[in-house]
């Protein structure tokens, strides 16, 4: 097996507060391979953006990786200094498409000047090489090369979107982290953005970490995924496995809360309650208070994340994972809702 591009192993992230600490992420682990598109999905406040920020040293000053390791190409990076990270990793190896991406360009500088500035900080490229590289990328994302000397305000929303993708690719990174990139977009622009991201596979040997609350976007875009709740990885595996056979209660209910074209009249699930505040060290299932199938054990101890039926590619953190298919089926039959995961292989072609 080839070495993973990015490994997040047993990571805890803590925010130090004057009154009490916030344990934002607990024991999170996942891997991303070269040229793999990986989705990290969950509701607002679940810790997915915090986990992504830990990879790029973007945590607030009071946040820290308090346990675990983050490895990039086999090298631990969580303890690199800001200077080391800037010199060796940022933009050149890992780049970011931030939230509200279309507003992240400097409105007072031409796109070409912004590219030159990035290259000056992280490489020894000449200004000419930087601009030529941006022109090449503009062509890849479907923008006229002549527009590299324009200001951001001269671009439409869709063009800004493509310009951001081009800028993120400027220094040939191996991994792009896209944090809620479609949240502020209408459905047409969302579709355009995802098509451009997906199309990059044909042009570049590139991996993607897509952070989103929209599980449908992950199903459409990613090879593998992890579902987070309350700072914990609830379930992880290939997108096909989690789409067709979810085994964590939160994954099942989250999937049922989104529309399904095969069941247009299906009533959507509502996940009642709110995630816990995480003011104390987490030694329990953070979904237990909202779970229809929780037992006393769920409130008292943290379920390990374990492989399903010996399948190392699909792992679940739930004491009742072996029962979830029948429990969920009974629940949905009781309330008269067809199961979104009864796919009959629709939406996925069998690989065999």
């Amino acid at each position: 097996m080839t070495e993973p591009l990015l490994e997040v192993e047993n990571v805890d992230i803590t925010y130090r507060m004057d009154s009490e600490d916030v344990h934002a992420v607990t024991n999170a682990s996942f891997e991303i391979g070269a040229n793999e598109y990986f989705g990290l999905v969950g509701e607002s406040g679940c810790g997915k953006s915090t986990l992504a920020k830990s990879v790029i040293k973007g945590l607030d000053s009071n946040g820290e990786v308090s346990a675990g390791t983050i490895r990039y190409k086999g090298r631990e990076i969580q303890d690199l200094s800001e200077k080391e990270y800037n010199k060796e990793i940022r933009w050149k190896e890992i780049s970011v498409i931030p939230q509200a991406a279309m507003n992240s360009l400097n409105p007072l500088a031409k796109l070409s000047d912004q590219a030159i500035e990035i290259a000056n900080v992280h490489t020894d490229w000449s200004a000419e090489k930087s601009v030529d590289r941006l022109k090449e990328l503009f062509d890849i994302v479907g923008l006229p090369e002549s527009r590299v000397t324009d200001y951001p305000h001269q671009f439409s929303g869709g063009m800004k979107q493509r310009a951001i993708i081009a800028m993120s690719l400027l220094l040939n990174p191996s991994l792009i982290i896209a944090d809620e990139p479609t949240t502020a977009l209408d459905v047409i622009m969302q579709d355009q953005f995802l098509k451009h991201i997906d199309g990059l596979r044909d042009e570049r040997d590139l991996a993607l970490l897509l952070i989103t609350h929209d599980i449908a976007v992950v199903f459409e875009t990613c090879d593998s995924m992890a579902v987070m709740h309350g700072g914990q990885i609830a379930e992880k595996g290939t997108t096909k496995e989690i789409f067709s056979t979810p085994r964590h209660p939160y994954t099942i209910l989250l999937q049922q809360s989104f529309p399904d074209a095969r069941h247009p009249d299906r009533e959507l699930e509502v996940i009642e309650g709110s995630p816990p505040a995480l003011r104390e060290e987490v030694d329990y299932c953070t979904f237990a208070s909202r779970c229809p199938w929780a037992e006393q054990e769920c409130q008292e101890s943290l379920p390990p994340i374990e492989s399903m039926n010996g399948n190392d590619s699909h792992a679940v953190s739930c004491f009742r994972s072996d029962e979830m298919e029948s429990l969920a089926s009974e629940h949905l039959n009781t309330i008269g809702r067809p199961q979104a995961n009864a796919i009959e292989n629709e939406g996925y072609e069998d690989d065999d």
Side-chain angles (χ1 to χ4, degrees):
M1 292 181 62
T2 58
E3 184 177 65
L5 185 67
L6 178 70
E7 300 170 89
V8 174
E9 184 177 0
N10 303 324
V11 164
D12 293 355
I13 299 174
T14 305
Y15 286 102
R16 305 299 182 186
M17 312 291 284
D18 290 338
S19 55
E20 53 187 347
D21 294 340
V22 175
H23 300 274
V25 174
T26 300
N27 199 37
S29 298
F30 64 86
E31 296 180 355
I32 302 176
N35 205 36
E36 179 180 6
Y37 278 26
F38 185 94
L40 190 58
V41 65
E43 63 195 329
S44 296
C46 72
K48 57 188 187 296
S49 290
T50 292
L51 194 51
K53 287 177 180 178
S54 72
V55 175
I56 59 170
K57 297 192 75 66
L59 294 172
D60 293 338
S61 58
N62 64 332
E64 65 176 15
V65 176
S66 49
T69 56
I70 301 171
R71 288 185 291 273
Y72 178 75
K73 294 184 176 178
R75 177 191 181 188
E76 288 193 22
I77 63 172
Q78 74 276 359
D79 294 325
L80 291 180
S81 68
E82 187 69 17
K83 182 178 180 180
E84 290 172 321
Y85 195 93
N86 268 337
K87 181 180 179 181
E88 301 173 37
I89 304 293
R90 184 168 283 122
W91 286 97
K92 292 188 291 187
E93 293 287 348
I94 302 175
S95 65
V96 179
I97 299 174
Q99 292 191 37
M102 289 192 299
N103 297 322
S104 64
L105 295 168
N106 181 351
L108 302 179
K110 299 174 182 178
L111 270 294
S112 55
D113 290 339
Q114 295 185 50
I116 291 169
E117 181 180 1
I118 291 169
N120 279 342
V121 172
H122 300 282
T123 73
D124 57 0
W125 291 5
S126 66
E128 183 181 10
K129 181 176 179 178
S130 303
V131 175
D132 285 346
R133 170 67 175 154
L134 186 61
K135 287 180 179 179
E136 174 191 340
L137 292 168
F138 265 38
D139 183 59
I140 288 173
V141 300
L143 291 174
E145 293 182 7
S146 60
R147 300 298 299 273
V148 296
T149 54
D150 285 355
Y151 290 89
H153 74 266
Q154 294 175 281
F155 288 77
S156 68
M159 294 175 73
K160 282 183 184 179
Q161 190 183 75
R162 283 176 274 170
I164 284 290
I165 296 173
M167 295 291 279
S168 72
L169 293 169
L170 184 69
L171 303 188
N172 283 317
S174 296
L175 173 65
I176 289 181
I177 297 176
D179 189 0
E180 297 280 9
T182 62
T183 297
L185 306 179
D186 61 46
V187 292
I188 295 174
M189 291 187 68
Q190 283 187 31
D191 184 63
Q192 290 176 352
F193 177 88
L194 295 173
K195 284 180 178 177
H196 284 301
I197 287 290
D198 196 51
L200 291 176
R201 293 189 189 213
D202 299 329
E203 302 286 347
R204 291 288 183 273
D205 185 16
L206 183 72
L208 175 73
L209 172 55
L210 177 63
I211 314 294
T212 181
H213 65 279
D214 190 338
I215 197 170
V217 168
V218 171
F219 286 153
E220 179 183 349
T221 308
C222 296
D223 306 304
S224 303
M225 63 183 293
V227 179
M228 287 193 74
H229 178 275
Q232 299 172 352
I233 300 289
E235 185 165 6
K236 59 184 178 180
T238 68
T239 304
K240 180 176 180 178
E241 287 167 334
I242 294 180
F243 180 81
S244 59
T245 56
R247 287 294 181 268
H248 192 281
Y250 179 65
T251 309
I252 292 168
L253 297 176
L254 184 64
Q255 187 171 338
Q256 288 286 326
S257 71
F258 280 83
D260 187 332
R262 293 162 300 135
H263 305 292
D265 298 325
R266 173 172 62 88
E267 184 180 352
L268 301 183
E269 186 69 65
V270 176
I271 304 176
E272 302 289 353
S274 302
L278 306 177
R279 301 295 185 184
E280 300 175 350
E281 289 193 18
V282 179
D283 56 1
Y284 56 93
C285 173
T286 56
F287 192 58
S289 63
R290 308 172 72 186
C291 179
W293 306 286
E295 297 181 325
Q296 189 66 30
E297 183 181 21
C298 308
Q299 305 272 5
E300 297 175 348
S301 55
L302 180 63
I305 188 157
E306 297 179 327
S307 299
M308 288 299 304
N309 302 320
N311 180 2
D312 291 338
S313 69
H314 188 185
V316 184
S317 176
C318 179
F319 291 120
R320 307 191 72 184
S321 58
D322 290 339
E323 307 171 73
M324 281 315 304
E325 185 172 19
S326 58
L327 289 171
S329 178
E330 180 181 350
H331 169 72
L332 294 169
N333 287 337
T334 299
I335 58 179
R337 296 179 186 173
Q339 295 188 69
N341 59 310
I343 63 170
E344 301 174 349
N345 286 327
E346 293 180 42
Y348 279 104
E349 295 181 2
D350 198 329
D351 296 328
D352 298 331

